[in-house]
Amino acid sequence: MTQAEPLVSKPSVVAIRDLHKSFGALEVLKGISFEAREGEVVSLIGSSGSGKSTLLRCINMLEVPDQGSVSIDAEEIRLRGRPPHRQIADEHQIRRIRSELGMVFQSFNLWAHLSILDNVMEAPLVVQKRPRAEVEAEALAMLAKVGIAEKAHAYPNQLSGGQQQRAAIARALCINPRVMLFDEPTSALDPELEVEVLRVIKLLADEGRTMILVTHDMEFARSVSDRVIFLHQGLIEEEGTPDQVFGATRSARLKQFLNAAS
Ligand code: ADP
Ligand code: MG
């Protein structure tokens, strides 16, 4: 991403401090801290089971961390109680904050009984209670942006996996989120369908959207990210610019991971 202003002077959109999360005896996150600043694309890489999805799910509190905090636009998400019973303290707050987070998963999670257009319009109409005409115009513009305008009135099962994932991205964009969170958005797709989804994500990066992206595609991470974070066994093992992480790798574990991934 090219930006005149250095990212470090931009406000923090997502700030994670000392996050810990266990499932029973399995300690998955062992103290993770990082920030995504406005306009920054942060990629999370690491082997399967290293805690990438859990970390992403803690940002929107689909998983409640045992310890540590998550702040969105400098507002800390309020939690109460002690592990393993720590829980969301303020339902109002979390609903408001979740509406600032656009989440795209590996599985597309579109409603099968709704047209693509209705899928995209659902949250702005039902959750945000915005006027239909305005939402429809915006939804059609989002579908055009991701390259599937002609599929607005089709149903999910009439679309390819790549088209469904692009519809899911349009749906996430339509709530006008402060940050987009992607969890391996192309890992369920055939390689030829992957390309079109990656192109859309790159477009969003170039527009200056704040994004946190879990990906297994190192070439893509290198091309799209401002910062890359390598997770290993629940800790940040190495982080830096793509050139630092991929071009001047320090950690032996990361070297091993990159060798295996290539
Ligand atoms: P990654 O996305 O890096 O592959 P995950 O965050 O999905 O890793 O998982 C990290 C570890 O936590 C794995 O060992 C996984 O089996 C375990 N795990 C994830 N979610 C749960 C859960 N809800 N209950 C129990 N174990 C889980
Ligand atoms: Mg995962």
Side-chain angles (χ1 to χ4, degrees):
M1 191 185 59
T2 49
Q3 251 178 341
E5 207 179 335
L7 282 165
V8 69
S9 69
K10 298 274 187 173
S12 161
V13 176
V14 178
I16 290 164
R17 305 235 187 279
D18 194 32
L19 219 62
H20 291 250
K21 178 69 181 177
S22 295
F23 296 108
L26 179 68
E27 193 179 9
V28 175
L29 303 179
K30 300 175 181 168
I32 302 273
S33 302
F34 75 88
E35 276 187 333
R37 293 177 176 276
E38 196 167 82
E40 195 174 25
V41 179
V42 178
S43 289
L44 302 174
I45 61 171
S47 348
S48 174
S50 58
K52 305 179 299 295
S53 294
T54 303
L55 176 54
L56 213 60
R57 289 165 60 81
C58 281
I59 297 176
N60 57 12
M61 296 293 158
L62 286 175
E63 298 291 353
V64 176
D66 297 326
Q67 191 184 313
S69 67
V70 175
S71 301
I72 307 296
D73 280 329
E75 179 183 353
E76 184 173 330
I77 299 175
R78 292 176 45 226
L79 300 174
R80 64 181 158 88
R82 291 178 173 280
H85 303 294
R86 206 162 176 229
Q87 51 182 288
I88 289 160
D90 182 344
E91 284 299 329
H92 264 330
Q93 185 201 33
I94 192 67
R95 217 169 303 137
R96 177 166 48 76
I97 285 181
R98 279 192 182 131
S99 76
E100 299 294 333
L101 309 173
M103 185 95 188
V104 176
F105 301 91
Q106 178 180 335
S107 53
F108 327 124
N109 299 323
L110 297 170
W111 296 109
H113 65 288
L114 294 180
S115 71
I116 295 301
L117 181 62
D118 285 335
N119 264 282
V120 174
M121 295 202 305
E122 160 101 8
L125 284 181
V126 177
V127 182
Q128 298 179 325
K129 301 192 175 5
R130 291 169 48 200
R132 175 171 280 273
E134 176 191 307
V135 168
E136 185 166 332
E138 196 178 309
L140 289 169
M142 289 301 171
L143 289 173
K145 177 178 201 141
V146 301
I148 52 168
E150 78 286 0
K151 300 293 182 188
H153 300 289
Y155 284 79
N157 67 5
Q158 299 171 308
L159 271 60
S160 74
Q163 291 169 334
Q164 288 187 51
Q165 190 60 302
R166 285 182 286 153
I169 294 171
R171 179 179 57 179
L173 286 172
C174 225
I175 63 170
N176 192 24
R178 276 289 281 159
V179 55
M180 289 284 284
L181 308 174
F182 291 95
D183 192 357
E184 305 221 30
T186 63
S187 60
L189 301 176
D190 295 335
E192 70 272 20
L193 300 181
E194 212 171 325
V195 177
E196 55 194 26
V197 173
L198 294 178
R199 199 181 298 132
V200 168
I201 297 173
K202 182 76 169 76
L203 175 78
L204 300 177
D206 291 343
E207 282 179 0
R209 284 203 172 258
T210 311
M211 308 205 279
I212 301 175
L213 167 74
V214 174
T215 182
H216 59 274
D217 185 332
M218 296 305 123
E219 207 177 305
F220 185 63
R222 187 166 194 159
S223 75
V224 80
S225 312
D226 295 295
R227 202 144 44 84
V228 178
I229 294 176
F230 172 59
L231 283 189
H232 179 76
Q233 293 181 354
L235 287 168
I236 294 179
E237 168 83 9
E238 185 158 342
E239 89 175 277
T241 64
D243 283 348
Q244 289 167 338
V245 166
F246 297 115
T249 314
R250 284 165 294 144
S251 146
R253 285 166 177 151
L254 175 54
K255 280 182 188 153
Q256 197 177 13
F257 171 75
L258 293 176
N259 280 334
S262 64

